[in-house]
Amino acid sequence: MTIESKLAARGLTLPSPPQPLGSYTAVSRAGDLLFVSGQLPLRDGKVVWTGQVGKDLSIAEGKQAAELAALNVLAQIHAYLGGFERLDHIVRLEGHVASAPGMLDQPAVLDGASDLFAQVLGDKAGHARAAYSATQQPANAAVILVVIAQIKGD
């Protein structure tokens, strides 16, 4: 089963990769590593999930924001590589969660991204992860994901 068909089984389609919000590239390559710039929960160029988790959004909504940002990560990788055949695995996921004071469930929010990767990438999904809290983020995004992926040789 392809990654695209696994997404479809979850009612998801791979979007067009979002354009950077500033003067940087969405994906940079160094050797066999892809560095995917921060991906927001964007749909059709608009941030879908805004505000602080624990104040404006529930943990469940934060997980949905992380899943949407992860979908955009996949879109960036797919566009850069021209498919998923050369993707070896996700190496590291950094998640930045806009959090209300006292909200300590950033790892639970990031499970939205990790779970999507596991469900659609299978053995290519295993990754190290770090969770960070921020009071406010660019575009008022609830979640921003930064990913490092390893690719197979040319």
Side-chain angles (χ1 to χ4, degrees), residues 51-53 55-56 97-101 132-137 140-141:
Q52 294 178 325
V53 178
K55 177 184 171 196
D56 307 306
V97 181
S99 306
Y132 301 100
S133 175
T135 55
Q136 191 171 25
Q137 305 200 97
N140 199 26

Side-chain angles (χ1 to χ4, degrees), residues 16 20 25 32 39-41 51 53 57 61 73 75 78 82 105 110 116 120 125 129 144:
S16 296
T25 60
D32 65 347
Q39 296 298 299
L40 285 62
V53 178
L57 302 172
E61 291 169 322
V73 166
H78 185 271
D105 291 325
L110 296 182
L116 177 70
V120 302
R129 190 173 87 178
I144 299 176

Side-chain angles (χ1 to χ4, degrees), residues 4-140:
E4 292 87 350
S5 62
K6 289 178 184 178
L7 286 168
R10 298 190 72 227
L12 300 171
T13 58
L14 205 58
S16 296
Q19 295 300 307
L21 299 179
S23 299
Y24 58 91
T25 60
V27 180
S28 179
R29 179 178 172 183
D32 65 347
L33 296 177
L34 295 182
F35 296 82
V36 181
S37 294
Q39 296 298 299
L40 285 62
L42 290 168
R43 184 176 296 126
D44 300 323
K46 295 185 170 94
V47 178
V48 175
W49 299 99
T50 60
Q52 294 178 325
V53 178
K55 177 184 171 196
D56 307 306
L57 302 172
S58 68
I59 301 297
E61 291 169 322
K63 286 178 85 165
Q64 291 177 27
E67 179 180 277
L68 180 54
L71 191 61
N72 288 322
V73 166
L74 293 175
Q76 294 292 359
I77 292 170
H78 185 271
Y80 188 87
L81 295 176
F84 291 111
E85 294 77 22
R86 292 185 48 223
L87 175 64
D88 187 72
H89 73 286
I90 303 296
V91 175
R92 179 177 168 84
L93 166 65
E94 288 185 12
H96 303 263
V97 181
S99 306
M103 199 290 277
L104 303 175
D105 291 325
Q106 292 81 8
V109 169
L110 296 182
D111 283 344
S114 294
D115 292 347
L116 177 70
F117 288 155
Q119 291 165 3
V120 302
L121 297 177
D123 60 358
K124 297 180 180 194
H127 57 271
R129 190 173 87 178
Y132 301 100
S133 175
T135 55
Q136 191 171 25
Q137 305 200 97
N140 199 26

